[in-house]
Amino acid sequence: MKKLLFISSLLTYSYSQDNLISDGPYIFIDNGNLIEKEIIDNQVFIKTLKPSQFDTLFYPSKSIYKNVSKIAALSDIHGQYDLFITLLMNNEIIDKNLNWIFGKGHLVINGDIFDRGDQVNETLWFVYKLELQAIKNGGMVHFLLGNHEYMVLYDDLRYVNPKYKLSADLLDLDYDMLYSNKTVLGRWLRSKSTIIKINNVLFTHGGISKEFVSKVGYDIEAINNTMRISIPKLKNLRKLRKSKESNEFYDLYFGSQSLIWYRGFFKNDFTSSELEDVLNLFDAEHIAVGHSTQKKIVQLHENRIFGIDTGIKKGKSGEVLLIEGDRFYGGSINGQLRELNQ
Ligand code: ZN
């Protein structure tokens, strides 16, 4: 067991004094057996599940969808489970019993469920279950990986809520091992995409930089595959980067100009013609991105860009982007719609 940093231990300690934590379940895959570990009031409960109870193999979904009748998208949930549920409920994506009522619609979560807040695991399990329900109803849930998913996968734990340091201690594991390739949620995460296109709209966490497309290209399926197969190598790549050895691959796919970190869309010097060039390459009309926090959903460059990180991480409010045909709306926490005008 790795030693926690001194400052993190202090945080963990103060957290544990005031709160008994409950967390999980975490389901570990051990030689074909499923072992469930759950924490209730600081006590760990372990049981063996029937192997049929959860899938252990997850296959990537495709990256491009056409003729989807309605789309909802939101981003940067950061462990704010209650607010996330309220937004989905009041915008008629789920009912009061948390069941899918969005029919054949697609719900996109533009990344960053992990870090900051203290209900990350609850949110992940809810998305996991909603995804299965949506498929049964002819719809889909797309959970795209953001920089904070990749950070946990490559063991950069700077933003993990102190609660989870205590969870990891109680389970006698490092935090990243709670989502390793030997867990159900860890395998599920590793099957996810980073960029998708639905109808004429692209979705990704940060944005698409000129630098990225000029070097990587615009084959969405290939980009997702490259990022998926890189995950096992990421820890080492990060070390190489730390030691300042050149690492073009890491910079391209996981650096500041990558899909998951890029903030250029929101800079003053970003031009419509630069955007036009990028969208044309992907044969898309619009792009919805999270990562750069706004008060409400913003539209930029005549509805070409939608900024959909609406500060859910603060735990107070947020908005859902709703798309039907060529109409775009912001759905509020109370379920009120405002049309996003050009
Ligand atoms: Zn982010």
Side-chain angles (χ1 to χ4, degrees):
M1 171 96 201
K2 224 173 0 187
K3 283 271 173 293
L4 293 165
L5 290 172
F6 179 64
I7 185 111
S8 313
S9 307
L10 280 179
L11 285 170
T12 305
Y13 186 61
S14 63
Y15 200 94
S16 65
Q17 279 200 323
D18 302 335
N19 304 277
L20 288 176
I21 65 154
S22 296
D23 185 26
Y26 295 95
I27 300 177
F28 298 87
I29 304 159
D30 183 15
N31 284 325
N33 294 315
L34 296 177
I35 316 288
E36 181 190 273
K37 297 187 181 180
E38 187 162 17
I39 301 168
I40 301 170
D41 293 341
N42 280 17
Q43 254 196 300
V44 179
F45 295 85
I46 301 175
K47 63 180 179 200
T48 304
L49 305 178
K50 283 188 195 140
S52 58
Q53 220 164 316
F54 285 92
D55 282 333
T56 53
L57 291 175
F58 298 93
Y59 301 97
S61 303
K62 56 183 188 157
S63 305
I64 297 174
Y65 299 84
K66 288 175 182 160
N67 304 316
V68 175
S69 58
K70 53 182 179 177
I71 307 168
L74 76 176
S75 192
D76 296 71
I77 296 155
H78 285 299
Q80 296 291 340
Y81 174 81
D82 294 336
L83 186 50
F84 175 49
I85 294 295
T86 307
L87 276 164
L88 294 184
M89 223 181 252
N90 290 345
N91 286 287
E92 294 171 11
I93 293 156
I94 57 171
D95 67 13
K96 292 216 158 21
N97 300 315
L98 312 191
N99 292 315
W100 179 262
I101 50 166
F102 202 49
K104 292 184 167 41
H106 287 211
L107 169 66
V108 185
I109 297 159
N110 270 49
D112 282 7
I113 287 180
F114 274 92
D115 285 346
R116 304 186 197 278
D118 67 359
Q119 287 192 289
V120 170
N121 189 261
E122 291 85 340
T123 309
L124 292 169
W125 277 120
F126 172 71
V127 173
Y128 177 97
K129 286 170 194 159
L130 194 65
E131 185 184 273
L132 297 172
Q133 273 194 349
I135 291 168
K136 274 193 192 145
N137 288 280
M140 277 196 90
V141 174
H142 307 275
F143 169 27
L144 306 180
L145 302 180
N147 58 311
H148 284 273
E149 277 72 39
Y150 282 103
M151 285 168 87
V152 170
L153 292 174
Y154 61 61
D155 200 21
D156 179 343
L157 307 180
R158 282 174 293 159
Y159 294 93
V160 172
N161 187 284
K163 169 186 166 182
Y164 294 113
K165 311 262 185 197
L166 182 56
S167 282
D169 271 357
L170 289 167
L171 295 169
D172 198 20
L173 287 166
D174 294 331
Y175 180 71
D176 63 321
M177 289 297 109
L178 304 183
Y179 297 100
S180 80
N181 199 25
K182 288 190 170 170
T183 65
V184 170
L185 286 181
R187 286 194 182 174
W188 174 71
L189 276 169
R190 284 163 175 77
S191 72
K192 296 299 175 207
S193 296
T194 305
I195 177 169
I196 55 169
K197 186 175 145 192
I198 306 176
N199 301 338
N200 58 1
V201 190
L202 288 163
F203 296 85
T204 193
H205 183 63
I208 306 175
S209 68
K210 196 164 63 179
E211 291 80 354
F212 184 78
V213 274
S214 69
K215 289 184 181 144
V216 171
Y218 46 87
D219 180 341
I220 299 180
E221 207 77 64
I223 294 168
N224 282 323
N225 282 334
T226 303
M227 292 186 77
R228 266 190 291 266
I229 60 170
S230 306
I231 292 173
K233 292 179 273 181
L234 277 176
K235 272 191 207 181
N236 287 336
L237 282 174
R238 197 169 146 247
K239 273 186 210 142
L240 286 176
R241 187 179 163 79
K242 256 186 166 172
S243 67
K244 294 204 166 53
E245 284 178 44
S246 73
N247 200 316
E248 201 190 351
F249 178 84
Y250 186 97
D251 273 342
L252 265 179
Y253 284 93
F254 303 97
S256 63
Q257 304 297 304
S258 69
L259 299 176
I260 56 173
W261 283 99
Y262 183 60
R263 294 186 194 274
F265 284 174
F266 301 91
K267 302 257 158 79
N268 287 336
D269 59 354
F270 186 78
T271 62
S272 293
S273 73
E274 186 177 335
L275 177 66
E276 209 67 18
D277 289 347
V278 170
L279 291 180
N280 282 343
L281 281 173
F282 288 88
D283 193 21
E285 304 273 329
H286 312 273
I287 181 163
V289 297
H291 191 55
S292 297
T293 309
Q294 319 293 331
K295 284 196 181 113
K296 287 178 168 185
I297 291 171
V298 293
Q299 66 82 13
L300 301 167
H301 302 278
E302 298 175 333
N303 271 355
R304 294 295 181 125
I305 296 175
F306 293 99
I308 66 166
D309 169 359
T310 52
I312 294 171
K313 66 183 170 195
K314 293 173 190 149
K316 297 215 166 70
S317 70
E319 265 191 327
V320 183
L321 174 68
L322 296 159
I323 307 174
E324 280 198 53
D326 278 339
R327 311 197 81 153
F328 300 87
Y329 304 89
S332 79
I333 191 84
N334 304 314
Q336 280 153 345
L337 293 185
R338 65 183 180 97
E339 190 153 7
L340 297 159
N341 298 312
Q342 295 194 357

